[in-house]
């Protein structure tokens, strides 16, 4: 249907792609027009960069995507149970009073601490702050203006009566109590979601899904680099006032002490910003503020309510830069950081459960396989996948090219992180390590990160003129951005610039395209093989061209489809190989206009054998600047309110006193991603919105293939099974076991699957499998 937005035809799409593929001069991080923020690859493209896709292949791929969009969509239904728990006149259990207003009535006739309405603010499952009408917190025998352990209350239940014990071991006077729901409580301060309408899910738990997917975010970055680089955190048990506060060094002299923030935003350590977060948010969060929190849990909630259904959170660390930064409260060891941040993810899941009224009720659900993820999404919630992006994973550093780890150590630590819940990971990030060489960086950041690479490994990047890479290159070492300030991953270079010492002069590199001569090592090969054996998802981003080409050749030889390029740190030669392997790609989000251009290019690489959908890699919280605003006067601006995925209504987002508008604020924080996707639709038409909504299903089908489920035989006839395989499925077989026996169906709409099979005559035969309450009831030919 027409919604007053442009429609891009196949011919127009191909014209755009051919123009976009034309070689251009090299460009750096700071270029707003052709910078890495909006490039098809964050590794710079030069006149020698080639894309192997022909015009004929591009047309066929784009046409196949159009055919897929025309297929029937799965039914989406309202899921009120995925929202907050409704309050009853009297709470049913110790979790049910969360976010409710109650009057406490003593069951013993004793005088209660208070007879006024009390707001029950959950700080953990069954634990509360009791917030009175004066904005004070109840303590044993009194109250306080500031939350503290004396104001933390653990609930216990005996029948319909509740008792409360403080964290200091004192009971709440007058208990046990019955609780009666009332009005009149003081408003608890917090960020607003500004999305109305119930969350959507599926008619069944096993049907095809819809929803947006972000395959690259750093939600626990408040712990990385020693825990003092990042200001704010995704949650705090005492609420938004404590969660969204600036760093102590920023607050010195009204923001003048924010040396790292100033350098990142302005290229100089001097300067100032308003250090106040809640409730004014004058200067942060912002698209270009890389030291401030962007994934506060209510902003995550808004993105989920606006249609996001998969979030890949990458546990992150860089030990050497952590050591260089003078302020720290946590370990600089990469594995310690992984363990800590994995624990944090579980704590955030538990905290959100507490807000929603009990275990398992929150929208943030950590999953470890595609079957869990599908069930979570169809229940109306968001599947959260745990991943890793560090520079020295498993302790696999190298010193003067001597590896610091063994295959036994890799196996043991891979087993450990798998047990933690990790299912997606990169092998390298900023430094060469014992597994592979890195792509490096370009522009002003390059010598800084290269110097840190030397401090970690004893060697610099081995950049040489590019032989045998078909014109695809790693980062050029001689390019300086126009304004001298890089726009991507600049945090690493800034720390080295401000705090690095003892770095000798860098080597002289050849002019023109350069490639890191360090490729995939034997230990790296072993690691990828082990990832495939454990059915974990491999991300080739940040690898040197040589390492990534070797890695993709290995992936192809293993016939392993569990591969994701998550944030545009691969090169155009690799993207078609990822798709052909059965993998999935989420380009770096960046500006909305730039993402539309990337989407157009990726359409030409689509492999018709696999389900098509697209996601984004936000890379938020310290690594990549977020999308800038197009401006209120831009063509086809976002108009509020708008209708989001699943029919929800999306208003402008309100955080305290600040009102955010995607047209003028850009992606200032994570909660504005539904608005950003609407901005994509306003520029790219319904087609890009459809492809983004199909992203979660495409990710799940990639993951299903990675765990051994054969592909959809209607799209890939080479994997056709005999019709007896599907016709003879026993009654009562679960949907998951059907997948394991018959593979990915061509359609899974509500309680019906459709398969292509091979009849005894050799002809292709379609078979419908019908389910009753998630179990096979019958199979029949169509």
């Amino acid at each position: 249907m027409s919604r007053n937005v442009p429609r891009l035809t196949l011919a127009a799409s191909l014209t755009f792609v051919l123009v976009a593929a034309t070689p251009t001069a090299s460009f750096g991080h700071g270029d707003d027009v052709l910078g890495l923020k909006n490039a098809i690859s964050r590794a710079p493209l030069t006149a020698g960069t080639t894309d192997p896709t022909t015009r004929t292949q591009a047309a066929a791929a784009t046409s196949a995507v159009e055919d897929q969009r025309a297929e029937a969509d799965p039914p989406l239904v309202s899921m009120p149970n995925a929202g907050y728990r409704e309050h009853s006149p009297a709470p049913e259990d110790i979790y049910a009073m969360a976010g409710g207003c109650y009057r406490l009535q003593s069951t013993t006739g004793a005088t209660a601490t208070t007879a006024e309405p009390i707001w029950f603010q959950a700080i953990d499952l069954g634990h509360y702050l009791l917030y009175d009408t004066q904005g004070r917190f109840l303590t044993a025998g009194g109250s306080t203006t500031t939350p503290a352990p004396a104001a933390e209350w653990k609930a216990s239940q005996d029948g319909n009566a509740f008792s409360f014990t403080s964290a200091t071991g004192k009971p709440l006077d007058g208990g046990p109590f019955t609780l009666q729901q009332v009005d009149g409580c003081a408003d608890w301060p917090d960020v607003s979601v500004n999305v109305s309408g119930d969350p959507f899910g599926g008619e069944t738990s096993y049907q095809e899904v819809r929803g947006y997917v972000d395959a690259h975010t750093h939600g626990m970055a408040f712990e990385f680099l020693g825990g003092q680089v990042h200001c704010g955190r995704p949650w705090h048990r005492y609420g938004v006032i404590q969660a969204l506060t600036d760093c102590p060094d920023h607050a010195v002299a009204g923001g003048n002490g924010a040396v790292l923030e100033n350098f990142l935003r302005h290229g100089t350590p001097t300067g100032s910003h308003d250090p106040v977060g809640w409730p004014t948010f004058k200067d942060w969060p912002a698209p270009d503020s890389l030291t401030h929190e962007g994934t506060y849990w209510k902003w995550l909630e808004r993105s989920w309510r606006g249609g996001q259904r998969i979030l890949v959170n990458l546990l992150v660390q860089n030990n050497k830069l952590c050591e260089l930064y003078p302020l720290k409260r946590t370990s600089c060891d990469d594995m310690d950081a992984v363990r800590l941040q994995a624990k944090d993810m579980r704590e955030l899941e538990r905290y959100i459960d507490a807000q929603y009224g009990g275990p398992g009720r929150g929208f943030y659900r950590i999953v470890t396989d595609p079957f869990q993820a599908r069930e979570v999404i169809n229940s109306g919630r968001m599947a959260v996948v745990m991943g890793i992006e560090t520079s020295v994973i498993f302790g696999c550093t190298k010193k003067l090219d001597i590896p610091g780890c063994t295959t036994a150590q890799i196996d043991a630590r891979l087993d450990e992180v798998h047990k933690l819940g990790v299912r997606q990971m990169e092998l390298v990030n900023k430094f060469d390590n014992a597994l592979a060489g890195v792509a490096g960086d370009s522009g002003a950041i390059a010598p800084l990160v290269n110097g840190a690479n030397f401090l970690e490994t004893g060697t610099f990047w081995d950049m040489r003129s590019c032989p045998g890479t078909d014109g695809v290159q790693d980062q050029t070492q001689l390019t300086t951005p126009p304004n001298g300030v890089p726009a991507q991953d600049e945090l690493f270079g800034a720390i080295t610039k401000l705090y690095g010492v003892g770095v000798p002069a860098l080597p002289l590199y050849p002019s023109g395209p350069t490639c890191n001569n360090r490729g995939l090592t034997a230990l790296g090969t072993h690691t990828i093989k082990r990832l495939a054996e454990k059915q974990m998802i491999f991300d080739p981003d940040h690898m040197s061209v040589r390492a990534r080409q070797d890695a993709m050749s290995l992936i192809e030889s293993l016939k392993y489809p569990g591969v994701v390029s998550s944030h545009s740190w691969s090169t155009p030669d690799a993207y078609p190989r990822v798709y052909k392997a059965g993998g999935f790609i989420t380009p770096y989000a960046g500006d909305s206009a730039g993402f539309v251009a990337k989407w157009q290019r990726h359409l030409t690489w689509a492999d018709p054998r696999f389900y098509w959908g697209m996601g984004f890699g936000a890379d938020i919280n310290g690594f990549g600047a977020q999308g800038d605003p197009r401006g209120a006067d831009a063509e086809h601006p976002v108009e509020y309110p708008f209708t989001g995925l699943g029919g929800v209504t999306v208003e402008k987002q309100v955080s305290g006193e600040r009102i955010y508008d995607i047209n003028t604020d850009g992606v200032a924080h994570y909660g504005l991603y539904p608005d950003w996707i609407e901005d994509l639709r306003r520029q790219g038409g319904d087609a890009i919105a459809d492809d983004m909504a199909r992203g979660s299903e495409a990710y799940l089908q990639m993951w299903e293939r990675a765990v051994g489920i054969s592909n959809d035989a209607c799209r890939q006839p080479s994997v056709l099974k005999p019709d007896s395989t599907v016709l003879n499925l026993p009654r009562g077989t679960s949907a998951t076991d059907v997948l394991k026996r018959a593979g990915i169906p061509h359609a899974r709409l509500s309680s019906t699957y459709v398969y292509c099979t091979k009849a005894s005559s050799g002809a292709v035969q379609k078979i419908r499998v019908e389910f009753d309450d998630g179990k096979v009831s019958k199979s029949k030919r169509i």
Side-chain angles (χ1 to χ4, degrees):
M1 62 181 173
S2 174
R3 298 174 68 182
N4 195 30
V5 293
R7 286 190 175 275
L8 297 176
T9 64
L10 174 58
S13 301
L14 290 176
T15 299
F16 170 83
V17 168
L18 291 172
V19 171
T22 302
T24 64
S26 180
F27 46 83
H29 291 295
D31 191 322
D32 292 335
V33 179
L34 292 174
L36 299 187
K37 186 177 185 180
N38 297 312
I40 195 69
S41 168
R42 291 161 88 178
L45 310 182
T46 71
T49 301
T50 59
D51 172 4
T53 309
T54 66
R55 181 189 292 266
T56 299
Q57 291 170 332
T62 307
S63 178
V65 169
E66 290 180 347
D67 290 342
Q68 287 199 30
R69 290 193 202 111
E71 295 173 353
D73 287 322
L76 301 180
V77 298
S78 175
M79 287 288 182
N81 289 338
Y84 287 92
R85 185 171 181 172
E86 292 188 5
H87 297 109
S88 59
E92 301 91 345
D93 55 44
I94 62 172
Y95 313 115
M97 62 274 284
C101 184
Y102 295 93
R103 179 174 286 113
L104 284 71
Q105 179 66 47
S106 174
T107 62
T108 65
T111 302
T113 301
T114 179
E116 64 180 298
I118 296 295
W119 177 267
F120 280 69
Q121 180 57 38
I123 58 175
D124 193 357
L125 286 167
H127 294 247
Y128 300 93
L129 298 174
L130 304 184
Y131 191 61
D132 70 15
T133 56
Q134 305 304 309
R136 298 177 65 87
F137 302 92
L138 298 191
T139 60
S143 64
T144 178
T145 58
T146 304
E152 297 183 14
W153 297 99
K154 179 181 179 181
S156 58
Q157 183 177 13
D158 183 6
N160 64 349
F162 297 89
S163 299
F164 300 92
T165 305
S166 75
T168 56
K170 297 181 179 180
L172 184 64
D173 292 343
F177 305 93
T178 58
L179 273 61
Q180 179 183 3
Q181 187 180 22
V182 295
D183 297 323
C185 281
D187 292 333
W188 177 257
D190 213 338
V191 164
S192 300
V193 173
N194 307 111
V195 177
S196 58
D198 290 329
F200 67 86
E203 285 188 349
T204 66
S205 63
Y206 46 90
Q207 71 169 52
E208 185 175 323
V209 301
R210 284 292 179 270
Y212 310 130
V213 52
D214 172 9
H216 195 109
T217 273
H218 299 288
M220 301 300 133
F222 73 97
E223 302 278 26
F224 91 133
L225 298 182
Q228 296 290 72
V229 168
H230 187 87
C231 312
R233 50 183 292 160
W235 87 103
H236 190 287
R237 63 194 285 109
Y238 293 160
V240 68
I241 297 174
Q242 284 75 15
L244 296 181
T245 185
D246 213 341
C247 292
D249 54 315
H250 289 203
V252 174
N256 288 289
V259 175
L260 183 58
E261 172 76 1
N262 293 332
F263 185 82
L264 290 168
R265 296 183 84 168
H266 311 300
T268 173
T270 60
S272 180
H273 71 274
D274 187 340
V276 178
W278 175 271
T280 56
F281 298 112
K282 179 181 177 182
D283 286 341
W284 65 272
D288 62 344
S289 179
L290 301 189
T291 66
H292 290 105
E293 180 58 46
T295 59
Y296 180 61
W297 80 273
K298 295 292 286 186
W299 294 331
L300 288 176
E301 181 182 31
R302 175 181 165 88
S303 190
W304 159 65
R305 291 293 301 274
Q308 185 176 348
R309 289 298 181 268
I310 294 179
L311 170 68
V312 181
N313 184 75
L314 299 175
L315 316 175
V316 61
Q317 182 63 300
N318 185 295
N319 66 312
K320 185 54 61 178
L321 296 179
C322 175
E323 292 169 3
L324 291 176
Y325 194 67
L327 306 175
K328 57 183 68 68
R329 60 174 174 78
T330 60
S331 169
C332 291
D333 180 80
D334 285 41
M335 284 300 298
D336 286 346
V338 165
R339 297 179 188 107
L340 175 61
Q341 292 173 41
K343 178 175 175 286
D344 288 336
M345 288 181 66
R346 302 288 179 181
E347 290 182 0
L348 176 58
E349 181 181 52
R350 180 182 173 96
Y351 177 82
I352 295 175
D353 279 355
Q355 311 311 308
Y356 273 69
R361 297 186 66 98
F363 70 88
Y364 185 99
R365 312 304 322 152
I366 298 171
V367 298
T368 55
D369 65 51
F371 316 115
Q372 289 179 354
R374 186 174 298 279
E375 184 173 351
V376 163
I377 295 169
N378 277 320
S379 76
R381 296 172 173 84
M382 184 165 69
V384 180
V385 182
M386 196 180 296
I388 291 177
E389 181 185 38
T390 70
S391 287
V392 188
I393 188 62
F394 305 152
C396 287
T397 188
K398 67 181 188 67
K399 304 295 183 183
L400 299 175
D401 289 321
I402 299 174
C405 63
T406 64
T407 56
Q409 180 177 324
I410 291 169
D411 291 347
R413 292 193 170 175
L414 188 58
D415 288 344
E416 178 187 357
V417 300
H418 186 274
K419 186 176 181 179
L420 289 174
V422 172
R423 293 298 183 270
Q424 178 175 316
M425 61 177 288
E426 301 173 21
L427 266 58
V428 295
N429 181 224
K430 284 293 154 185
F431 300 157
D432 295 326
N433 62 28
L435 308 180
V438 295
D441 287 275
S442 64
I445 192 177
L448 306 177
V449 180
N450 199 357
N453 187 87
F454 177 88
L455 293 177
E456 172 61 30
T457 68
T459 58
F460 292 103
W461 300 324
D462 189 8
M463 295 293 184
R464 307 182 187 184
S465 295
C466 293
T469 55
D470 296 326
V472 177
Q473 67 172 85
D474 289 320
Q475 298 278 14
T476 301
Q477 299 303 297
L478 302 176
T479 302
T480 300
N483 62 5
V485 182
Q488 306 308 327
D489 286 349
E490 55 188 310
L491 183 59
F492 296 101
I495 290 176
T496 307
K497 175 72 173 179
L498 292 170
Y499 307 108
V501 293
V503 181
L506 269 65
L508 294 176
Y509 291 113
S511 60
T514 56
C515 291
N516 191 346
N517 193 51
R518 293 186 174 91
L520 186 69
T521 68
L523 289 174
T525 297
H526 174 82
T527 303
I528 293 174
K529 288 181 177 179
R530 292 287 290 126
L531 286 172
E533 289 170 6
K534 297 185 77 66
Q535 301 176 336
M536 298 172 70
I537 299 165
F538 164 63
D539 186 342
D541 281 10
H542 283 293
M543 300 178 92
S544 68
V545 167
R546 180 178 174 184
R548 185 167 47 252
Q549 290 185 341
D550 289 346
M552 287 308 303
S553 294
L554 176 59
I555 287 290
E556 290 159 357
S557 70
L558 295 172
K559 294 181 171 57
Y560 185 61
V563 56
V564 168
S565 173
S566 65
H567 65 322
S568 298
W569 268 101
S570 290
T571 43
D573 64 313
Y575 296 136
R577 298 180 73 177
V578 172
Y579 285 124
K580 289 178 181 177
F584 182 69
I585 298 177
T586 57
Y588 176 46
D591 300 339
S592 59
F595 191 88
V596 172
K598 285 180 275 195
W599 164 71
Q600 288 286 347
R601 187 79 174 274
H602 278 267
L603 288 175
T604 69
W605 293 323
D607 191 315
R609 296 175 301 165
F610 304 108
Y611 187 99
W612 168 260
M614 200 166 187
F616 62 93
D619 206 7
I620 197 171
N621 275 351
F623 294 88
Q626 300 303 289
D628 286 327
R630 288 199 294 134
D633 297 330
E635 186 177 10
H636 303 297
V638 170
E639 298 177 357
Y640 292 93
F642 62 86
T643 301
L645 189 58
V648 297
T649 299
V650 183
E651 306 273 358
K652 292 180 181 179
Q653 198 280 318
V654 180
S655 294
E657 299 172 12
R658 180 73 185 271
I659 300 175
Y660 289 96
D661 182 332
I662 193 71
N663 299 300
T664 55
D665 296 305
V667 185
H669 59 68
Y670 202 86
L672 292 166
Y673 267 106
D675 313 55
W676 178 82
I677 290 175
E678 173 65 7
D679 201 20
L680 299 183
R681 190 190 67 81
R682 299 291 296 178
Q683 299 170 73
D686 290 340
I688 191 170
D690 289 347
D691 289 355
M692 299 299 286
R694 292 166 59 91
S696 286
E697 180 64 30
Y699 185 95
L700 290 189
Q701 290 201 20
M702 173 279 300
W703 199 359
E704 286 173 343
R705 291 189 290 270
V707 300
I709 307 301
S710 62
N711 193 36
D712 173 2
C714 298
R715 303 191 199 282
Q716 187 179 2
S718 62
V719 299
L720 282 167
K721 291 179 169 60
D723 57 5
S724 59
T725 301
V726 182
L727 285 171
N728 295 335
L729 286 168
R731 289 173 59 88
T733 303
S734 69
T736 297
D737 284 341
V738 168
L739 295 178
K740 292 177 180 178
R741 296 185 188 195
I744 294 173
H746 184 67
R748 36 185 150 190
L749 306 179
S750 189
S751 58
T752 300
Y753 285 1
V754 174
Y755 283 95
C756 286
T757 64
K758 183 184 293 185
S760 57
S761 65
V764 175
Q765 172 69 60
K766 284 192 174 182
I767 296 176
R768 177 184 291 113
V769 180
E770 297 180 5
F771 294 85
D772 183 9
D773 196 25
K775 307 291 185 181
V776 171
S777 58
K778 62 181 176 181
S779 302
K780 61 182 181 180
R781 295 183 177 89
I782 300 176

